[in-house]
């Protein structure tokens, strides 16, 4: 499976956000979208899954345009986890079961219930099954939203900062789970993460966006200090640590952070 984004452009009113964005991702890959705040990462994820309608460009799945793909079929292709979601007064189990909606014709089958159970166990959420969403912590809720996207069994997961509310261990557990999902289910993941060092460890490929333009697409080992410094407007050093690049901001030139 190959998802190709070709010449995608999008504007809110007359404010151009995405400009001629092109790249592709393959099944079995984790691709991380990077770039400064407000550069268009969320807009890109939403334009890919059809929540926003791009002014120009195409999203192709194995060469087939998804422009006129019905909503229900689209939901079998893309599982989207937004940056922010409002917890409704639903139990965790029911919220995750909603992810099966694209596959349910008339009634919920035993298979649907079993799939929800499997995903809840995989994300260590079983103990919260009967808890209401508005009674969860931010990190627990973030995992439930991911669980809902997983039971959807999409071909591509679009994740907008999926680890932003998680503590250090839960971040690593979540990223390990995502890697396992990519390997076992042969899906592709496109996600935005702000933490550069996490991105460099988890990504198969990086897409750097700046002002709505793809300014680099590379493997983590190819992300140089010049490239990162240029994209974020802050000089950095990149050193090798534990087999992965480690980005360290150079802070000597600005005001001190500590008294
Ligand atoms: N509904 C909207 N109407 C108008 N402008 C919007 C809307 N949503 C986002 N924008 C603007 O579009 C630009 C891109 O926003 P987007 O959320 O895609 O950026 P981002 O790269 O995901 O940012 P962040 O890293 O801060 O989450 C921003 O300037 C934002 O203010």
């Amino acid at each position: 499976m190959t998802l190709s984004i070709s010449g995608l452009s999008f504007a809110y009113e007359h404010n151009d956000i995405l400009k001629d964005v092109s790249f592709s991702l393959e099944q079995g890959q984790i691709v991380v979208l990077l770039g400064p705040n407000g550069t268009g990462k969320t807009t890109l994820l939403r334009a890919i899954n059809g929540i926003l309608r791009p002014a120009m460009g195409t999203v192709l799945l194995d060469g087939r345009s998804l422009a006129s793909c019905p909503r229900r079929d689209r939901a079998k292709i893309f599982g989207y986890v937004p940056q922010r979601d409002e917890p409704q007064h639903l139990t965790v189990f029911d919220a995750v079961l909603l992810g099966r909606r694209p596959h349910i014709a008339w009634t919920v089958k035993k298979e649907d219930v079993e799939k929800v159970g499997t995903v809840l166990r995989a994300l260590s959420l079983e103990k919260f099954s009967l808890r209401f969403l508005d009674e969860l912590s931010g990190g627990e809720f973030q995992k439930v939203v991911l669980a809902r996207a997983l039971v959807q069994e999409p071909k591509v997961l679009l994740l907008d900062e999926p680890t932003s509310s998680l503590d250090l261990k839960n971040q690593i557990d979540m990223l390990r789970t995502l890697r396992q999902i990519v390997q076992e289910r042969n899906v592709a993941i496109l996600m935005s993460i702000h933490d550069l060092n996490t991105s460099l460890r988890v990504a198969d490929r990086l897409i750097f966006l700046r002002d709505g333009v793809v300014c680099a697409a590379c493997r983590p080992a190819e992300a140089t200090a010049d490239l990162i410094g240029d994209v974020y407007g802050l000089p950095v050093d990149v050193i090798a640590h534990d087999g992965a690049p480690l980005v360290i901001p150079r802070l000597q030139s600005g005001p001190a952070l500590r008294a």
Side-chain angles (χ1 to χ4, degrees):
M1 187 275 310
T2 304
L3 184 78
S4 308
I5 318 301
S6 174
L8 207 75
S9 296
F10 178 85
Y12 288 111
E13 304 277 318
H14 299 295
N15 189 8
D16 290 336
I17 306 294
L18 301 174
K19 298 154 199 159
D20 198 17
V21 170
S22 301
F23 64 92
S24 61
L25 61 153
E26 312 269 333
Q27 65 188 43
Q29 272 191 333
I30 296 181
V31 175
V32 174
L33 271 178
L34 290 165
N37 290 129
T39 204
K41 300 179 296 296
T42 297
T43 306
L44 177 57
L45 293 173
R46 288 162 69 88
I48 291 173
N49 80 358
I51 296 174
L52 299 174
R53 211 162 255 283
M56 288 217 295
T58 48
V59 178
L60 303 161
L61 184 75
D62 293 328
R64 187 173 62 93
S65 169
L66 299 180
S68 51
C69 182
R71 246 176 105 96
R72 197 180 167 92
D73 292 344
R74 221 175 240 274
K76 291 180 186 165
I77 298 170
F78 297 115
Y80 174 55
V81 174
Q83 197 172 355
R84 283 184 292 268
D85 207 350
E86 279 302 308
Q88 297 158 301
H89 196 61
L90 272 180
T91 64
V92 166
F93 189 91
D94 288 344
V96 176
L97 184 61
L98 277 179
R100 293 296 301 160
R101 206 158 45 180
H103 301 275
I104 294 172
W106 297 104
T107 51
V108 174
K109 296 203 188 83
K110 191 168 161 240
E111 180 198 355
D112 298 307
V113 173
E114 281 169 3
K115 286 186 180 205
V116 171
T118 304
V119 168
L120 290 177
R121 272 191 300 283
L123 294 178
S124 308
L125 285 170
E126 325 93 288
K127 57 181 176 293
F128 299 114
S129 287
L130 299 177
R131 189 87 77 79
F132 287 100
L133 297 182
D134 45 13
E135 296 167 355
L136 297 176
S137 76
E140 291 157 359
F141 179 61
Q142 198 164 30
K143 289 214 264 182
V144 173
V145 182
L146 177 70
R148 190 180 58 200
L150 289 180
V151 291
Q152 221 175 299
E153 296 185 328
K155 295 181 193 307
V156 182
L157 279 166
L158 303 170
L159 312 178
D160 202 348
E161 297 186 36
T163 54
S164 61
S165 300
L166 302 181
D167 66 46
L168 190 61
K169 175 162 186 310
N170 271 305
Q171 277 182 36
I172 298 301
D173 286 349
M174 165 80 87
L175 294 170
R176 285 190 169 132
T177 304
L178 293 179
R179 174 57 69 189
Q180 209 180 341
I181 288 161
V182 156
Q183 283 167 346
E184 288 172 3
R185 303 193 187 187
N186 235 347
V187 298
I189 293 183
L190 177 63
M191 63 180 168
S192 73
I193 307 185
H194 272 299
D195 185 329
L196 271 170
N197 288 320
T198 301
S199 304
L200 291 167
R201 294 198 82 124
V202 74
D204 297 307
R205 280 178 69 70
L206 303 167
I207 308 285
F208 285 92
L209 268 191
R210 189 181 49 195
D211 296 331
V213 174
V214 174
C215 57
C218 62
R219 291 185 297 116
E222 296 162 346
T224 61
D226 283 349
L227 169 64
I228 295 169
D230 207 32
V231 170
Y232 289 94
L234 180 79
V236 300
D237 289 313
V238 177
I239 61 167
H241 173 73
D242 198 15
L246 183 71
V247 181
I248 303 167
R250 264 191 238 152
L251 301 177
Q252 295 88 336
S253 54
L257 293 182
R258 209 168 38 194

